[in-house]
Amino acid sequence: MRNVQVPLGNRSYAIKVGGGLLPRLGAECAQLQLGQRCAVITDSNVGKKFAKAALKSMAASGFQPVLITVPAGEKSKCMAVVEKCYDQLAAHRLERKSFIVALGGGVVGDLAGFVAATYLRGIPFVQVPTTLLAQVDSSVGGKTGVNLKAGKNLVGAFYQPQMVLCDLDALKTLPKREFISGLAEVFKYGIIYDAILFAQLERNLPKLLKREAETLAAVIARCCEIKADVVGQDETEGGLRAILNFGHTIGHAIENSSGYGKYLHGEAISIGQVAAAKLSHKLLGLLSGDAERIEKLFAQAGLPVKIKLNAAQRKKLFAAMKLDKKVSGGEIKFVLAEKIGKVCWGQKVPSDLIEQVLA
Ligand code: GLY
């Protein structure tokens, strides 16, 4: 098992990466000195596969777990579902020392984390991410929240988990489309922080696509190390943490304007990162060869790198971009790359240039 520490003073926590970790969930939680009562929040797909093992492990370590299952899909990331979770927590009498286990992908982690951040003004929670995307990104760093009609993640809180348990066995049964979608966040870490990782990803893509255990473990742990390093320096996104949003300005707008669910998050930010690489070439001098390497890696993984839009769809996409949380003073700000492994945040980009790279 690999152990990565997120360094946040008295809110520091461990990310544990390895095979066979779900049956150890109870034993790992027992080391955190939490209350006995807890709620495992999961969704209707993940629950079928993993809830029984999670509940069994918790009960074997002396916890009294209750199961809360929400419908699978991005639509569950909303205030109405948050309220239903509060009602169930209250019905099962969860108290201040009780805790929540978020068992699932990014939607469950963000939703359950937000419920934990706000129920009784905050109770502890543990992340057990079951998708690649959640293991390398959304379960780490304490961003929790839900969507509004007006945009993605517009309501939320920075609220750190007590532990993140990444069981690599969960990835074995992940549908191919979802696994590949997660690779878009993996590739992001190479582009924003680690040119050596990017080159390794280029070399090892066939092994990654085969989900080879050792390659996956090393890559996931490295992504978590990078995220922990960034979050440890800038927990609440005063500056540096914005680099984790590379490709997300366009990506979030694609998700929002096409109706959540048409594109998976990783697919939308794949198009967003390739567009950001092209903008980086035009505005920050990213070598054209490096912009091409970026596009090639995403394409070879089977991710979309382009989007076809008619005039009405383009208008909708730009309207969504203007609602992004990264807009400040009415200006859309981008994270752009100077070179692979080094990016700058807060970059102004003229709208016509965005149109050009999306065309
Ligand atoms: N997913 C971006 C962040 O955690 O800051």
Side-chain angles (χ1 to χ4, degrees):
M1 179 173 75
R2 289 166 163 84
N3 204 320
V4 177
Q5 203 62 19
V6 184
L8 288 168
N10 60 5
R11 286 170 300 103
S12 298
Y13 56 95
I15 308 166
K16 302 188 176 190
V17 182
L21 292 186
L22 188 59
R24 291 192 42 76
L25 173 63
E28 295 289 346
C29 287
Q31 292 178 19
L32 299 173
Q33 295 174 329
L34 305 167
Q36 276 190 318
R37 215 170 283 178
C38 62
V40 176
I41 301 185
T42 191
D43 72 33
S44 46
N45 288 341
V46 176
K48 274 184 213 133
K49 291 201 242 176
F50 304 121
K52 206 169 148 196
L55 294 175
K56 188 175 161 202
S57 170
M58 296 302 286
S61 290
F63 293 106
Q64 295 162 12
V66 295
L67 182 66
I68 298 177
T69 306
V70 304
E74 185 78 25
K75 290 204 169 87
S76 277
K77 238 178 91 170
C78 67
M79 287 309 292
V81 175
V82 168
E83 212 173 323
K84 283 188 181 150
C85 290
Y86 293 149
D87 289 342
Q88 293 194 58
L89 296 179
H92 290 291
R93 296 210 172 80
L94 264 82
E95 342 162 311
R96 279 248 164 89
K97 284 200 170 152
S98 310
F99 65 103
I100 288 173
V101 175
L103 173 68
V107 168
V108 166
D110 288 7
L111 169 80
F114 183 65
V115 170
T118 47
Y119 181 70
L120 302 182
R121 298 201 179 90
I123 63 173
F125 85 114
V126 167
Q127 288 270 21
V128 186
T130 58
T131 64
L132 178 58
L133 189 137
Q135 292 189 351
V136 297
D137 184 50
S138 58
S139 68
V140 177
K143 277 192 182 175
T144 71
V146 293
N147 303 328
L148 296 183
K149 275 202 195 80
K152 208 171 146 68
N153 299 329
L154 290 185
V155 175
F158 287 102
Y159 193 67
Q160 300 297 338
Q162 304 287 313
M163 174 178 68
V164 181
L165 207 67
C166 301
D167 186 347
L168 300 178
D169 292 344
L171 304 183
K172 288 181 182 161
T173 54
L174 197 63
K176 187 174 170 195
R177 186 176 168 203
E178 262 195 73
F179 181 81
I180 288 176
S181 164
L183 286 177
E185 291 284 6
V186 170
F187 299 163
K188 179 189 81 180
Y189 288 104
I191 299 168
I192 64 169
Y193 218 71
D194 187 347
I196 293 172
L197 172 66
F198 190 85
Q200 282 167 353
L201 293 167
E202 289 178 310
R203 271 198 313 277
N204 290 335
L205 184 63
K207 287 185 188 168
L208 269 178
L209 290 169
K210 281 189 203 141
R211 308 186 198 186
E212 204 210 76
E214 214 15 66
T215 309
L216 259 184
V219 163
I220 291 172
R222 179 64 192 135
C223 293
C224 289
E225 264 171 24
I226 295 172
K227 181 131 191 197
D229 194 18
V230 171
V231 170
Q233 293 176 62
D234 178 22
E235 183 182 8
T236 54
E237 208 167 309
L240 177 72
R241 185 169 178 161
I243 67 172
L244 298 170
N245 297 325
F246 181 74
H248 283 56
T249 306
I250 291 174
H252 280 169
I254 290 173
E255 284 179 273
N256 179 270
S257 62
S258 59
Y260 296 120
K262 177 163 191 253
Y263 288 92
L264 297 179
H265 177 68
E267 293 167 347
I269 63 154
S270 169
I271 297 166
Q273 288 183 77
V274 172
K278 288 177 183 164
L279 290 171
S280 302
H281 170 60
K282 287 181 188 294
L283 295 170
L284 277 196
L286 175 74
L287 295 175
S288 60
D290 284 348
E292 281 158 20
R293 277 173 73 197
I294 291 172
E295 179 163 358
K296 191 171 162 200
L297 184 61
F298 284 90
Q300 283 184 337
L303 284 157
V305 293
K306 289 189 175 85
I307 186 167
K308 265 197 178 161
L309 297 168
N310 61 31
Q313 287 165 330
R314 182 163 297 128
K315 204 171 153 200
K316 229 172 146 187
L317 182 90
F318 275 82
M321 234 182 289
K322 290 195 176 117
L323 261 172
D324 194 275
K325 292 191 298 314
K326 293 170 282 301
V327 169
S328 91
E331 272 177 337
I332 304 171
K333 299 276 173 65
F334 276 73
V335 180
L336 297 179
E338 269 176 29
K339 55 184 181 179
I340 290 177
K342 185 168 187 333
V343 289
C344 305
W345 66 92
Q347 301 295 307
K348 283 188 226 160
V349 178
S351 295
D352 56 336
L353 221 48
I354 305 173
E355 296 237 17
Q356 243 182 60
V357 300
L358 282 175

